[in-house]
Structures are given as structure tokens and as C-alpha cells.
């Protein structure tokens, strides 16, 4: 089941950045963040951190520890997909006009994926707090 959740995140990224712009599909952030919540909730490290947050009354350092853990999980799931995606856009082609077009999209892809990562982690953290009945302190 976890693999299916991981695949939904990967499919979202790949479908958003198809070379054929007409076939691109927006990522449903609610759907992928729920998949990511399930993935994170299945990790012992996340559960231990959530318990620690409960015990420390949402101490900032514990919340930061959760965020850092989620970043590691996200990177582990998406690293190969993102590297492959960037490599596809960074290849040499016979059609130099297309090659320039694809290569010029790389900074946009990287910026989008960085924003996606941040949005997904923030939304997923909120969902984790609700799911685990933790009051988030600031």
C-alpha cells in the first residue's frame, strides 16, 4: 500500500512535467499530501517524533525535527524521479530548437518542485497533527 502512495506522488510529478505541454496535468496537492501523510505515519521515526511533540507540548525543536524527517522521506521517495526528469529535459536532440526549449524549462521545473516540496510538507504536517491529535504550538 505504501508503494502505491509513493507511486501516486511520483506519477503526479511526472504528469505535471510531460514534454508535451498539452498533456500536462496539475498536481492535486490535497491528494498527494494525504498519500504523503500515510507514508510518514507508517515510519517509526515519524511516530516517535509525534509522541515527542505530544510530550513536549509542541516544542519548536521537535516540530523542526519532524519537518527535517519529512524532508528526508520526501527526498528518498522523489530523488530518482526528479533526477530522471531533469535528465530528460537536459538531453541533446537533433532538433536544436526543441533542445533549447526543453533546457530553458529546467529552472522552472526545479523552482516548481522546490515549492511543491515545501507546500506538501507543510500541508502534510498539518494533516499529521490532526491525525495524531496533536495541538501544534508555535
Amino acid at each position: 500500500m505504501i508503494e502505491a502512495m509513493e507511486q501516486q506522488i511520483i506519477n503526479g510529478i511526472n504528469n505535471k512535467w510531460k514534454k508535451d505541454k498539452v498533456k500536462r496535468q496539475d498536481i492535486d496537492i490535497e491528494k498527494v499530501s494525504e498519500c504523503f501523510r500515510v507514508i510518514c505515519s507508517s515510519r517509526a521515526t515519524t511516530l516517535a517524533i509525534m509522541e515527542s511533540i505530544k510530550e513536549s507540548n509542541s516544542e519548536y525543536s521537535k516540530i523542526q525535527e519532524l519537518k527535517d524527517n519529512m524532508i528526508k522521506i520526501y527526498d528518498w521517495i522523489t530523488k530518482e524521479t526528479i533526477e530522471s526528469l531533469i535528465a530528460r529535459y537536459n538531453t541533446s536532440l537533433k532538433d536544436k530548437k526543441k533542445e533549447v526549449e526543453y533546457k530553458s524549462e529546467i529552472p522552472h521545473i526545479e523552482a516548481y518542485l522546490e515549492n511543491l516540496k515545501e507546500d506538501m510538507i507543510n500541508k502534510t504536517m498539518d494533516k499529521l497533527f490532526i491525525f495524531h491529535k496533536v495541538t501544534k504550538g508555535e
Side-chain angles (χ1 to χ4, degrees):
M1 180 168 137
I2 298 302
E3 291 83 8
M5 300 290 174
E6 291 172 359
Q7 194 60 50
Q8 287 186 26
I9 295 168
I10 290 167
N11 288 347
I13 291 170
N14 284 329
N15 289 335
K16 173 64 180 170
W17 292 106
K18 291 182 178 184
K19 283 187 172 181
D20 184 347
K21 291 179 182 181
V22 175
K23 293 182 180 178
R24 291 182 182 175
Q25 300 169 0
D26 286 334
I27 295 174
D28 182 346
I29 190 72
E30 289 301 322
K31 181 180 172 183
V32 294
S33 68
E34 183 59 25
C35 290
F36 193 52
R37 183 204 57 81
V38 171
I39 293 165
C40 290
S41 290
S42 72
R43 302 285 201 274
T45 53
T46 303
L47 297 175
I49 295 168
M50 291 304 294
E51 281 304 311
S52 181
I53 290 171
K54 282 182 186 179
E55 292 169 6
S56 70
N57 294 319
S58 300
E59 182 181 309
Y60 175 78
S61 64
K62 298 296 179 182
I63 293 174
Q64 187 60 47
E65 183 181 354
L66 175 64
K67 187 173 185 174
D68 293 344
N69 183 59
M70 292 172 68
I71 289 169
K72 287 178 190 171
I73 294 168
Y74 181 85
D75 289 344
W76 180 78
I77 293 169
T78 62
K79 182 179 180 182
E80 286 181 23
T81 298
I82 292 170
E83 287 173 353
S84 175
L85 176 66
I86 298 299
R88 281 196 318 261
Y89 274 79
N90 202 22
T91 59
S92 296
L93 301 172
K94 288 182 181 178
D95 183 343
K96 293 303 177 188
K97 184 178 176 185
K98 282 282 187 196
E99 181 179 331
V100 168
E101 178 186 333
Y102 293 153
K103 287 182 179 183
S104 70
E105 277 198 271
I106 293 173
H108 301 290
I109 294 168
E110 291 171 336
Y112 177 88
L113 292 173
E114 193 58 39
N115 288 335
L116 174 67
K117 177 180 180 176
E118 188 69 29
D119 289 348
M120 196 153 86
I121 287 172
N122 290 332
K123 284 190 181 301
T124 304
M125 281 182 70
D126 291 341
K127 289 179 181 196
L128 281 169
F129 287 133
I130 292 167
F131 184 78
H132 291 279
K133 298 176 176 75
V134 174
T135 304
K136 182 180 177 185
E138 296 297 325

